[in-house]
């Protein structure tokens, strides 16, 4: 399943390889499905041309084995995290900023969730989107490929997951660091005594309006 309510824009093309100039103005989910079917016509692909929110996320995620988060805003990251915790689905997370990227797996068995590391969002003025901040297209490919590898490992039950570990990439200096993380026993969502047991208003939580 591919969830996106946006349309392909010329500014996306340096980092989003499923679209091209002929697809500018086409819904991204539709464009992504079209490109992927050209690679493999036998795979089942479901486009969701909606904005992911508290009213639809559980219905959309239900039945999937893995969720891959490539979003660029904090309300959606918290929404995805909480839905994955409630449904018991691992969340392969990737984030980018300028020349930097991070990859990890949240909500794997015994591992932390997103809220374990980031219980509160940063102030909106310190959290620009990709379009606002600008990113190196190549770092998106690096992070995306690593997310794909972690997804395949989850599905195959192979190797050591990036659970409890964050791979931090600095493409400007081409260095990679591994940061150890752990589950917060007092996490408001994934602990044994959670204080958040249902989906909330994530835009209000992050003080963002769209």
């Amino acid at each position: 399943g591919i969830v996106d309510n946006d349309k392909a824009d010329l500014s996306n093309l340096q980092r989003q390889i499923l679209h091209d100039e002929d697809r500018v103005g086409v819904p991204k989910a539709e464009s992504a499905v079209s490109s992927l079917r050209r690679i493999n016509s036998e795979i089942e692909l479901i486009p969701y041309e909606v904005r992911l929110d508290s009213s639809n996320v559980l219905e959309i995620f239900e039945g999937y084995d893995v969720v891959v988060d490539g979003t660029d805003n904090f309300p959606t990251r918290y929404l995805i995290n909480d839905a994955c915790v409630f449904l018991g689905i691992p969340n392969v997370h990737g984030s980018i900023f300028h020349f930097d990227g991070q990859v990890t797996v949240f909500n794997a068995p015994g591992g932390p969730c997103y809220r374990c590391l980031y219980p509160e969002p940063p102030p909106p003025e310190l959290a620009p989107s990709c379009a606002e901040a600008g990113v190196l297209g190549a770092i998106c490919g690096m992070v995306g490929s690593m997310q794909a590898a972690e997804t395949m490992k989850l599905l195959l039950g192979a190797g050591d997951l990036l659970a409890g570990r964050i791979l931090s990439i600095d493409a400007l200096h081409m260095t990679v660091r591994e940061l150890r993380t752990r589950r917060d026993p007092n996490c408001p969502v994934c602990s044994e005594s959670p204080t958040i047991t249902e989906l909330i208003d994530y835009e209000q939580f992050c003080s963002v309006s769209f």
Side-chain angles (χ1 to χ4, degrees):
I2 301 170
V3 186
D4 203 319
N5 75 322
D6 199 6
K7 291 181 170 59
D9 185 82
L10 195 63
S11 65
N12 304 143
L13 303 187
Q14 44 79 268
R15 65 184 186 276
Q16 297 181 11
I17 60 172
L18 293 178
H19 318 303
D20 58 34
E21 290 184 352
D22 292 336
R23 304 263 185 84
V24 169
V26 173
K28 287 183 178 178
E30 176 187 329
S31 176
V33 166
S34 177
S35 295
L36 292 169
R37 281 183 177 150
R38 288 186 179 184
I39 297 171
N40 186 345
S41 61
E42 296 184 1
I43 58 176
E44 181 181 356
L45 297 162
I46 304 173
Y48 298 93
E49 294 177 18
V50 297
R51 179 170 186 81
L52 201 65
D53 60 28
S54 297
S55 71
N56 59 27
V57 65
L58 296 177
E59 180 181 357
I60 290 173
F61 284 6
E62 183 72 50
Y64 285 99
D65 296 308
V66 183
V67 168
V68 182
D69 177 9
T71 57
D72 67 351
N73 66 83
F74 284 95
T76 309
R77 288 175 186 169
Y78 282 100
L79 169 72
I80 289 172
N81 176 79
D82 294 357
C84 284
V85 171
F86 296 158
L87 294 171
I89 304 174
N91 171 13
V92 180
H93 174 83
S95 60
I96 52 177
F97 183 73
H98 290 174
F99 295 90
D100 301 323
Q102 291 188 339
V103 185
T104 189
V105 178
F106 290 122
N107 203 40
C113 79
Y114 186 78
R115 283 186 187 266
C116 290
L117 277 62
Y118 309 107
E120 299 289 336
E125 63 272 14
L126 298 181
S129 68
C130 292
E132 294 167 331
V135 294
L136 177 69
I139 192 68
C140 302
M142 295 166 70
V143 168
S145 292
M146 290 179 179
Q147 286 181 275
E150 291 302 297
T151 301
M152 292 304 300
K153 286 159 59 181
L154 272 164
L155 295 174
L156 296 172
D160 297 321
L161 292 173
L162 280 174
R165 299 183 292 150
I166 295 178
L167 212 59
S168 180
I169 308 152
D170 178 347
L172 192 60
H173 300 95
M174 203 48 74
T175 58
V176 178
R177 293 187 301 155
E178 181 181 286
L179 309 174
R180 292 283 177 172
T181 60
R182 61 182 180 180
R183 195 169 181 179
D184 180 359
N186 299 311
C187 176
V189 176
C190 76
S191 67
E192 293 184 3
S193 301
T195 56
I196 298 175
T197 57
E198 59 184 22
L199 300 176
I200 63 174
D201 184 332
Y202 293 88
E203 284 78 12
Q204 184 180 48
F205 174 67
C206 296
S207 300
V208 175
S209 60
F210 294 95

